[in-house]
Amino acid sequence: MELQEGFIRYLKDNRYKQTKERLDLIGLLSNIKSHFDADGLYEKARTASITASRASVYRTIALLKKSGLLNESIRQDGKALYEISPGKQHHDHLICVNCGRIEEFTDDVIEKHQEQIGKKYNFLIKEHRLEIRGYCSRCRRP
Amino acid sequence: MELQEGFIRYLKDNRYKQTKERLDLIGLLSNIKSHFDADGLYEKARTASITASRASVYRTIALLKKSGLLNESIRQDGKALYEISPGKQHHDHLICVNCGRIEEFTDDVIEKHQEQIGKKYNFLIKEHRLEIRGYCSRCRRP
DNA sequence: ATATTTGCAAACGCTTTGCACAGAA
DNA sequence: TTCTGTGCAAAGCGTTTGCAAATAT
């Protein structure tokens, strides 16, 4: 809901047109909670009988990135995975190398400690990304 | 030095042939301290009048990854960046979004704290990757 | 009416691969 | 001699782009 409103406002504010494709895609995205890739969104659109070419999917994703409503979270097998930003605080990812499941977590200790690292290396931090790979609770051998 | 010996041993142990291309490339790599990409290595080879096709460069890199002598450290602009493993403890990266410089750092607090995260989420950690992006000491506005 | 957006297919950049020849064992 | 490795050029993959037609404003 918040996502659709945000996007429509962004389109208006920047004099982008509210095309059927853009509105349909953002509608689809409102129901996606987890991480998705461009082709996944395209396929989901086809299933929902939404006509939007792959090109439009990519272009809409690019627009959403610019608007700040969408984040490129991680890359997997050469593909970019996206996640919706609103209502999400910064978090990192636990990625299961066996089943591919992606779990999110937040950790204050690490979050805070990065500031120290920035100071130590005289580095002005804009963003950080921590990916932990291994076996999730379902896949780890007991 | 250690790298060349390690690679030659790996080739022997696995009955891979010691071809001119493989030996020349590993020789080049011994002089590379920092991160490099496949095409960078290919160009460096051409400059050094080493004849190795791009295909052989990629295949040699793949072999080095299998041997554990090379790590794919990060991805930048769709390209894989590699670094040589021997004699390197685990470290993370500070990446300047302005000049592209990559600085390595190690941090015990974060290193140790990951174990706790693993426990908390019942996740068997195999590896992790922390990338901090921002402005390096040279590029940050004062 | 007019400028933006679309779909298509071609182009892209990085990487991998099939094949016939070259070369290490 | 035999089997692996090479170079080349083509294919593969996710993504981007040029262009003419479609459409929101």
Side-chain angles (χ1 to χ4, degrees), chain A residues 6 19 23 53 72 93 102-103 131 141:
Chain A
T19 66
L23 297 176
S53 66
E72 189 175 321
H93 296 102
I102 298 171
E103 215 166 333
E131 298 173 13
R141 270 83 75 166

Side-chain angles (χ1 to χ4, degrees), chain A residues 16-17 19 22 53 56 59:
Chain A
Y16 289 124
K17 294 180 177 169
T19 66
R22 283 171 181 163
S53 66
S56 286
R59 287 190 272 229

Side-chain angles (χ1 to χ4, degrees), chain B residues 30-89:
Chain B
S30 303
N31 305 323
I32 295 183
K33 55 264 123 260
S34 56
H35 304 75
F36 67 95
D37 61 40
D39 207 59
L41 178 55
Y42 173 68
E43 287 305 336
K44 192 163 290 240
R46 313 209 86 214
T47 306
S49 303
I50 285 174
T51 46
S53 67
R54 221 181 296 264
S56 285
V57 168
Y58 275 103
R59 286 191 271 231
T60 300
I61 287 174
L63 203 54
L64 282 162
K65 276 202 285 184
K66 278 213 309 190
S67 78
L69 292 164
L70 205 72
N71 270 99
E72 189 174 321
S73 64
I74 64 170
R75 289 211 153 239
Q76 194 147 48
D77 312 318
K79 287 182 261 187
L81 295 193
Y82 305 95
E83 63 189 6
I84 287 138
S85 313
K88 290 215 162 192
Q89 62 175 132

